[in-house]
Short mmCIF file of all heavy atoms in Angstrom, two decimals:
data_model
loop_
_atom_site.label_atom_id
_atom_site.label_comp_id
_atom_site.label_asym_id
_atom_site.label_seq_id
_atom_site.Cartn_x
_atom_site.Cartn_y
_atom_site.Cartn_z
N ALA A 584 -7.84 5.66 5.54
CA ALA A 584 -7.50 4.37 4.95
C ALA A 584 -6.24 4.54 4.11
O ALA A 584 -6.01 5.58 3.51
CB ALA A 584 -8.64 3.87 4.08
N MET A 585 -5.43 3.48 4.07
CA MET A 585 -4.21 3.50 3.29
C MET A 585 -4.10 2.22 2.48
O MET A 585 -4.78 1.23 2.78
CB MET A 585 -2.99 3.67 4.19
CG MET A 585 -3.03 4.95 5.01
SD MET A 585 -1.49 5.29 5.83
CE MET A 585 -0.46 5.74 4.42
N ALA A 586 -3.22 2.24 1.48
CA ALA A 586 -3.15 1.09 0.59
C ALA A 586 -1.80 1.01 -0.09
O ALA A 586 -1.04 1.99 -0.14
CB ALA A 586 -4.25 1.16 -0.45
N TRP A 587 -1.52 -0.16 -0.60
CA TRP A 587 -0.39 -0.40 -1.50
C TRP A 587 -0.95 -0.80 -2.86
O TRP A 587 -1.81 -1.67 -2.94
CB TRP A 587 0.52 -1.50 -0.98
CG TRP A 587 1.34 -1.12 0.20
CD1 TRP A 587 1.08 -1.39 1.51
CD2 TRP A 587 2.58 -0.39 0.19
NE1 TRP A 587 2.06 -0.87 2.32
CE2 TRP A 587 3.00 -0.26 1.53
CE3 TRP A 587 3.38 0.15 -0.81
CZ2 TRP A 587 4.19 0.39 1.90
CZ3 TRP A 587 4.55 0.80 -0.45
CH2 TRP A 587 4.95 0.91 0.88
N TYR A 588 -0.42 -0.17 -3.89
CA TYR A 588 -0.74 -0.52 -5.27
C TYR A 588 0.56 -0.91 -5.95
O TYR A 588 1.65 -0.65 -5.45
CB TYR A 588 -1.35 0.68 -6.00
CG TYR A 588 -2.81 0.92 -5.73
CD1 TYR A 588 -3.26 1.38 -4.50
CD2 TYR A 588 -3.77 0.67 -6.72
CE1 TYR A 588 -4.60 1.59 -4.25
CE2 TYR A 588 -5.12 0.89 -6.49
CZ TYR A 588 -5.53 1.36 -5.25
OH TYR A 588 -6.87 1.57 -5.03
N ARG A 589 0.44 -1.51 -7.12
CA ARG A 589 1.62 -1.79 -7.91
C ARG A 589 1.29 -1.67 -9.39
O ARG A 589 0.14 -1.79 -9.80
CB ARG A 589 2.17 -3.19 -7.61
CG ARG A 589 1.30 -4.34 -8.08
CD ARG A 589 1.90 -5.67 -7.62
NE ARG A 589 1.12 -6.80 -8.11
CZ ARG A 589 1.36 -8.06 -7.76
NH1 ARG A 589 2.35 -8.35 -6.89
NH2 ARG A 589 0.63 -9.03 -8.25
N GLN A 590 2.34 -1.42 -10.16
CA GLN A 590 2.17 -1.31 -11.60
C GLN A 590 3.36 -1.95 -12.28
O GLN A 590 4.50 -1.51 -12.12
CB GLN A 590 2.04 0.15 -12.03
CG GLN A 590 1.71 0.33 -13.50
CD GLN A 590 1.31 1.76 -13.83
OE1 GLN A 590 1.60 2.70 -13.08
NE2 GLN A 590 0.62 1.93 -14.94
N ALA A 591 3.08 -3.01 -13.02
CA ALA A 591 4.11 -3.69 -13.80
C ALA A 591 4.21 -3.04 -15.18
O ALA A 591 3.25 -2.39 -15.63
CB ALA A 591 3.77 -5.17 -13.94
N PRO A 592 5.32 -3.19 -15.87
CA PRO A 592 5.48 -2.59 -17.19
C PRO A 592 4.38 -3.02 -18.14
O PRO A 592 4.08 -4.21 -18.27
CB PRO A 592 6.84 -3.13 -17.65
CG PRO A 592 7.57 -3.41 -16.39
CD PRO A 592 6.54 -3.88 -15.42
N GLY A 593 3.76 -2.04 -18.78
CA GLY A 593 2.71 -2.34 -19.73
C GLY A 593 1.37 -2.73 -19.13
O GLY A 593 0.44 -3.08 -19.86
N GLU A 594 1.29 -2.66 -17.81
CA GLU A 594 0.06 -3.05 -17.12
C GLU A 594 -0.57 -1.85 -16.42
O GLU A 594 0.08 -0.83 -16.19
CB GLU A 594 0.35 -4.15 -16.09
CG GLU A 594 0.97 -5.39 -16.66
CD GLU A 594 -0.01 -6.19 -17.52
OE1 GLU A 594 -1.23 -6.10 -17.28
OE2 GLU A 594 0.46 -6.92 -18.43
N GLN A 595 -1.83 -2.00 -16.06
CA GLN A 595 -2.50 -0.97 -15.29
C GLN A 595 -2.11 -1.07 -13.83
O GLN A 595 -1.75 -2.15 -13.33
CB GLN A 595 -4.02 -1.11 -15.43
CG GLN A 595 -4.56 -0.72 -16.79
CD GLN A 595 -6.08 -0.66 -16.80
OE1 GLN A 595 -6.74 -1.33 -16.02
NE2 GLN A 595 -6.62 0.16 -17.68
N ARG A 596 -2.19 0.03 -13.13
CA ARG A 596 -1.93 0.02 -11.70
C ARG A 596 -3.03 -0.77 -11.01
O ARG A 596 -4.21 -0.61 -11.32
CB ARG A 596 -1.87 1.45 -11.17
CG ARG A 596 -1.31 1.57 -9.78
CD ARG A 596 -1.10 3.03 -9.40
NE ARG A 596 -0.11 3.69 -10.26
CZ ARG A 596 0.35 4.92 -10.04
NH1 ARG A 596 -0.07 5.62 -8.99
NH2 ARG A 596 1.22 5.45 -10.87
N GLU A 597 -2.64 -1.62 -10.06
CA GLU A 597 -3.62 -2.47 -9.40
C GLU A 597 -3.44 -2.44 -7.89
O GLU A 597 -2.33 -2.26 -7.38
CB GLU A 597 -3.50 -3.93 -9.89
CG GLU A 597 -2.17 -4.57 -9.58
CD GLU A 597 -2.12 -6.02 -10.02
OE1 GLU A 597 -3.08 -6.52 -10.63
OE2 GLU A 597 -1.08 -6.67 -9.73
N LEU A 598 -4.53 -2.65 -7.19
CA LEU A 598 -4.51 -2.71 -5.74
C LEU A 598 -3.82 -3.99 -5.28
O LEU A 598 -4.09 -5.06 -5.80
CB LEU A 598 -5.93 -2.67 -5.19
CG LEU A 598 -6.08 -2.86 -3.68
CD1 LEU A 598 -5.51 -1.66 -2.93
CD2 LEU A 598 -7.55 -3.07 -3.32
N VAL A 599 -2.94 -3.84 -4.30
CA VAL A 599 -2.29 -5.00 -3.69
C VAL A 599 -2.94 -5.30 -2.35
O VAL A 599 -3.34 -6.43 -2.07
CB VAL A 599 -0.78 -4.75 -3.50
CG1 VAL A 599 -0.14 -5.92 -2.76
CG2 VAL A 599 -0.10 -4.52 -4.84
N ALA A 600 -3.04 -4.28 -1.50
CA ALA A 600 -3.62 -4.45 -0.17
C ALA A 600 -4.09 -3.10 0.35
O ALA A 600 -3.56 -2.06 -0.04
CB ALA A 600 -2.59 -5.06 0.79
N ARG A 601 -5.08 -3.14 1.23
CA ARG A 601 -5.66 -1.93 1.79
C ARG A 601 -5.89 -2.15 3.28
O ARG A 601 -6.23 -3.26 3.71
CB ARG A 601 -6.95 -1.61 1.08
CG ARG A 601 -7.66 -0.36 1.57
CD ARG A 601 -8.91 -0.08 0.75
NE ARG A 601 -9.84 -1.18 0.79
CZ ARG A 601 -10.33 -1.78 -0.30
NH1 ARG A 601 -9.96 -1.40 -1.49
NH2 ARG A 601 -11.20 -2.76 -0.16
N ILE A 602 -5.75 -1.08 4.05
CA ILE A 602 -6.02 -1.15 5.48
C ILE A 602 -6.81 0.09 5.89
O ILE A 602 -6.45 1.22 5.53
CB ILE A 602 -4.71 -1.30 6.30
CG1 ILE A 602 -5.02 -1.48 7.78
CG2 ILE A 602 -3.77 -0.12 6.07
CD1 ILE A 602 -3.79 -1.94 8.60
N LEU A 603 -7.89 -0.11 6.62
CA LEU A 603 -8.70 1.01 7.08
C LEU A 603 -8.04 1.68 8.28
O LEU A 603 -7.09 1.16 8.86
CB LEU A 603 -10.10 0.52 7.44
CG LEU A 603 -10.89 -0.14 6.31
CD1 LEU A 603 -12.28 -0.51 6.81
CD2 LEU A 603 -10.98 0.75 5.09
N GLY A 604 -8.57 2.86 8.65
CA GLY A 604 -8.07 3.57 9.81
C GLY A 604 -8.60 3.00 11.10
O GLY A 604 -9.28 1.96 11.11
N ASN A 605 -8.34 3.70 12.20
CA ASN A 605 -8.73 3.14 13.50
C ASN A 605 -10.23 3.06 13.68
O ASN A 605 -10.74 2.15 14.34
CB ASN A 605 -8.08 3.94 14.63
CG ASN A 605 -8.43 5.41 14.60
OD1 ASN A 605 -9.09 5.88 13.68
ND2 ASN A 605 -7.98 6.14 15.60
N MET A 606 -10.99 3.95 13.06
CA MET A 606 -12.45 3.89 13.17
C MET A 606 -13.01 2.71 12.37
O MET A 606 -14.14 2.28 12.62
CB MET A 606 -13.07 5.19 12.68
CG MET A 606 -12.67 6.41 13.50
SD MET A 606 -13.16 6.27 15.23
CE MET A 606 -14.92 6.49 15.06
N GLY A 607 -12.26 2.21 11.44
CA GLY A 607 -12.67 1.05 10.65
C GLY A 607 -12.07 -0.24 11.19
O GLY A 607 -12.12 -1.27 10.50
#
Side-chain angles (χ1 to χ4, degrees):
M585 300 191 71
W587 287 98
Y588 280 71
R589 69 185 183 186
Q590 187 168 19
E594 301 290 333
Q595 288 189 334
R596 193 172 297 187
E597 62 177 4
L598 174 69
V599 175
R601 180 177 58 234
I602 184 167
L603 300 183
N605 57 355
M606 298 299 288

